Amino acid sequence: RKAVKQTEGIVAFHDDQPILAVYHSTSGGRTENSEHYWSEQLPYLRAVEDPFSVNSPGHYSTATIGLEKLAEVLDVNKASNFKIIERYPSGRVKTVEVGDKWLSGREIRQRLALRSTWFTAEILGNEMVFSVWGYGHGVGMSQYGAQGMATSGYSFTEILQYYYQGIELRETY
């Protein structure tokens, strides 16, 4: 309640327009540029290093799926040739080749219910094991990162201006 009262009426702007203040649970160590998850490049949604969220329970996770089930979910004949082709500078997966298809990291995340697009994949026996960093799309403010910054003494202004590059905070009412 205190935080809400202290920030009442304050709005973040970029180029005289209110920003799209997207956020996610945990970055995994680095946030992502907006156009790498969605199609629009927004100047204030730029990737930043994020060491503040390392204590999040969502910082690292694993997920395992049988190769037959993986092929079924990805709608390919076989999944044993699953290969990450390209990554964004953040480390998140851009493109995967599997079977006779090319899929985006976002498609893989959605179809397999992975916590983020920042993952590695390794075949162990008849299963694919995914190691995953972060929780969410990774764009904008990391909730656990913001909490980590706050407990380290950063102000709400410093936190918002860290995750949303080049913004101006204005008292609007």
Side-chain angles (χ1 to χ4, degrees), residues 3 12 37 41 62 68-69 73 85 95 100 111 120 137 145 165:
Y37 199 79
Q41 180 180 344
T62 60
E68 284 185 27
K69 182 68 174 173
V73 170
I85 301 296
T95 311
D100 59 351
R111 290 186 187 197
T120 60
H137 49 66
Q165 301 289 296

Side-chain angles (χ1 to χ4, degrees), residues 21-163:
V22 295
Y23 57 91
H24 56 280
S25 170
T26 307
S27 71
R30 183 171 176 82
T31 65
E32 184 60 88
N33 290 335
S34 60
E35 70 275 12
H36 293 167
Y37 199 79
W38 300 300
S39 59
E40 188 175 3
Q41 180 180 344
L42 296 170
Y44 53 87
L45 292 177
R46 303 293 83 206
V48 296
E49 293 297 322
D50 185 25
F52 306 103
S53 66
V54 295
N55 292 325
S56 164
H59 180 72
Y60 175 80
S61 61
T62 60
T64 303
I65 185 170
L67 291 176
E68 284 185 27
K69 182 68 174 173
L70 179 62
E72 178 185 323
V73 170
L74 299 180
D75 194 26
V76 295
N77 289 332
K78 72 175 194 173
S80 58
N81 70 333
F82 188 102
K83 184 178 179 185
I84 296 170
I85 301 296
E86 190 175 8
R87 293 181 180 275
Y88 292 111
S90 67
R92 288 174 175 77
V93 174
K94 181 177 182 180
T95 311
V96 168
E97 181 181 18
V98 59
D100 59 351
K101 290 186 176 183
W102 287 58
L103 301 166
S104 70
R106 184 176 176 184
E107 288 174 292
I108 298 293
R109 176 188 182 218
Q110 291 171 334
R111 290 186 187 197
L112 301 179
L114 298 178
R115 288 187 166 190
S116 89
T117 58
W118 191 349
F119 60 82
T120 60
E122 179 182 15
I123 295 175
L124 294 176
N126 291 324
E127 297 179 320
M128 181 73 73
V129 178
F130 292 89
S131 295
V132 185
W133 289 266
Y135 196 165
H137 49 66
V139 180
M141 185 174 66
S142 161
Q143 291 173 300
Y144 275 94
Q147 180 183 30
M149 287 182 78
T151 57
S152 295
Y154 290 88
S155 69
F156 79 89
T157 301
E158 291 171 312
I159 295 167
L160 292 174
Q161 290 176 336
Y162 183 76
Y163 288 106

